[in-house]
């Protein structure tokens, strides 16, 4: 799971949508990016928050709202802002998907909601890398769905669970 900085933003993670990822024995390609497989640190399930409001800031806004109670309009506005911040953090959705981690520390999250498809793709990538076969595997992330297909090589020798 990716971690956030103090402001709740994930700086080293790039969100990718509607991509075709092609993995061969030597390269990983998507859009205009090509990476050598030895520069890939890992493929995994990933989850990234959208940017929540730190609880400390919500508390400070609420306390300032209580302090300025002689000015009723400002107190109501600040208290309402604190409540909206709490509701935002509670109902804030997270991005989920295939997380590609590079040796440089950069991360690419291919956003999907298809958890079962994602687990199958990760298992197939694991088998593909573990057996070091000379095949090409293509992953399509489209409309929040993910699926993978072998497009070249000896795909009949790779197990797909």
């Amino acid at each position: 799971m990716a971690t956030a900085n103090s402001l709740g933003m994930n700086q080293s993670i790039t969100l990718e949508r509607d991509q075709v990822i092609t993995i061969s024995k030597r390269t990983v390609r998507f859009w205009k990016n090509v990476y050598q497989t030895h520069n890939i640190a890992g493929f995994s399930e990933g989850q990234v928050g959208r940017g929540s409001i730190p609880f400390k800031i919500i508390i400070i806004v609420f306390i300032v709202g209580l302090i300025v109670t002689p000015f009723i309009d400002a107190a109501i506005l600040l208290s309402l802002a604190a409540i909206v911040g709490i509701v935002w953090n509670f109902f804030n959705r997270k991005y989920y998907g295939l997380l590609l981690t590079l040796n440089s520390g950069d991360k690419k999250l291919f956003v999907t909601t298809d958890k079962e498809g994602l687990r199958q793709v990760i298992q197939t990538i694991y088998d593909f890398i573990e057996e070091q076969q000379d095949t090409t595997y293509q992953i399509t992330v489209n409309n929040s769905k993910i699926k993978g297909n072998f497009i070249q090589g000896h795909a009949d020798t790779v197990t797909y669970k």
Side-chain angles (χ1 to χ4, degrees):
M1 185 150 143
T3 57
N5 66 14
S6 61
L7 295 176
M9 306 299 279
N10 295 294
Q11 293 182 352
S12 67
I13 297 178
T14 305
L15 298 178
E16 303 284 344
R17 288 188 170 79
D18 297 335
Q19 294 281 343
V20 175
I21 308 159
T22 306
I23 304 170
S24 69
K25 187 175 183 177
R26 293 178 189 85
T27 61
V28 176
R29 294 171 291 203
F30 59 93
W31 186 233
K32 295 181 180 180
N33 302 309
V34 178
Y35 298 100
Q36 293 179 326
T37 53
H38 66 271
N39 287 330
I40 306 295
F43 289 95
S44 63
E45 293 181 42
Q47 185 174 345
V48 179
R50 282 184 154 171
S52 59
I53 301 169
F55 195 65
K56 293 176 189 176
I57 292 176
I58 293 173
I59 298 277
I60 290 170
V61 169
F62 192 72
I63 290 172
V64 170
L66 291 176
I67 292 173
V68 295
T69 49
F71 309 104
I72 295 177
D73 293 341
I76 291 173
L77 185 64
L78 290 173
S79 299
L80 192 60
I83 292 169
V84 167
I86 291 169
V87 170
W88 171 262
N89 286 349
F90 186 72
F91 289 107
N92 192 12
R93 293 181 42 190
K94 295 181 178 179
Y95 293 112
Y96 176 80
L98 177 64
L99 184 64
L100 171 67
T101 306
L102 303 173
N103 289 340
S104 65
D106 289 339
K107 298 176 182 178
K108 310 285 184 187
L109 183 74
F110 297 92
V111 179
T112 182
T113 57
D114 184 7
K115 291 184 179 188
E116 184 57 36
L118 180 60
R119 288 186 182 114
Q120 289 177 349
V121 165
I122 291 172
Q123 181 62 45
T124 304
I125 292 171
Y126 171 76
D127 293 340
F128 172 70
I129 292 172
E130 189 68 26
E131 295 177 14
Q132 296 183 357
Q133 296 201 349
D134 196 16
T135 61
T136 302
Y137 186 63
Q138 191 172 56
I139 303 164
T140 305
V141 181
N142 193 7
N143 293 329
S144 296
K145 299 290 180 193
I146 187 167
K147 65 179 179 175
N149 295 313
F150 286 98
I151 59 171
Q152 177 184 345
H154 303 289
D156 57 334
T157 60
V158 178
T159 59
Y160 185 74
K161 300 175 182 175

